[in-house]
Amino acid sequence: MPADGAAGSMALSADGAIGGEAPAHEVLLGAMIEGALDGELLAPDFRVENLATSAADDLYYGPSAWRDWLRDLLRLFDAGASLSAIEPMAAGEDFILASFEMAGRSVSSGDHLSFGWTAVAWLRDGAVSRAVLYASRREALDAVGLHE
């Protein structure tokens, strides 16, 4: 990701490069973690589907979909919660698959809370058209036709 964090201003190319800079999966993972998955990185009809938890299980649409979903998930955590990509797992011509974890203290109990999921981001015409969050790695791999 560029040093200035301007991931939202770059478009994905068919070969996985973005403006001659970082590979697409690195830029997308960085943008997801920073809550900056927006701008030219997203198709106009972008949507997020959360199949991983009922905590934020609405469908989210449009340019702010990823930020809106993160906002809803962060409501479960005290300030200081962190989102990290555990591992980029697979990338194809039209998808990127990675595991994530949100960790911090619960707003309601103060106990440590950790939530993990595997996400698939589908690419269309150089932009992310859809992101689906799965409860298990196997579900995500099956969604893109891969198997463990």
Side-chain angles (χ1 to χ4, degrees):
M1 182 172 318
D4 67 3
S9 65
M10 293 181 268
L12 306 175
S13 69
D15 65 0
I18 300 180
E21 307 222 2
H25 69 278
E26 290 178 21
V27 172
L28 286 175
L29 290 177
M32 289 171 136
I33 291 168
E34 293 173 15
L37 187 59
D38 55 16
E40 292 178 16
L41 289 175
L42 298 180
D45 60 345
F46 173 71
R47 73 177 190 260
V48 175
E49 298 174 52
N50 179 7
L51 305 178
T53 180
S54 61
D57 64 352
D58 289 332
L59 288 175
Y60 298 83
Y61 296 94
S64 66
W66 186 257
R67 281 192 314 271
D68 294 345
W69 176 79
L70 271 179
R71 180 200 60 230
D72 288 351
L73 182 62
L74 282 168
R75 289 181 179 156
L76 303 173
F77 294 87
D78 271 346
S82 64
L83 173 62
S84 57
I86 299 169
E87 63 176 313
M89 297 168 50
E93 277 186 37
D94 64 346
F95 72 89
I96 296 168
L97 186 147
S99 291
F100 292 87
E101 180 181 50
M102 176 77 72
R105 298 256 172 229
S106 166
V107 168
S108 61
S109 71
D111 292 337
H112 178 76
L113 181 61
S114 177
F115 170 59
W117 68 92
T118 300
V120 178
W122 276 274
L123 311 174
R124 184 183 71 232
D125 298 328
V128 180
S129 60
R130 180 176 164 218
V132 179
L133 291 64
Y134 294 94
S136 75
R137 172 183 164 129
R138 185 170 27 101
E139 288 174 300
L141 288 168
D142 288 346
V144 296
L146 299 175
H147 306 285
E148 294 187 83

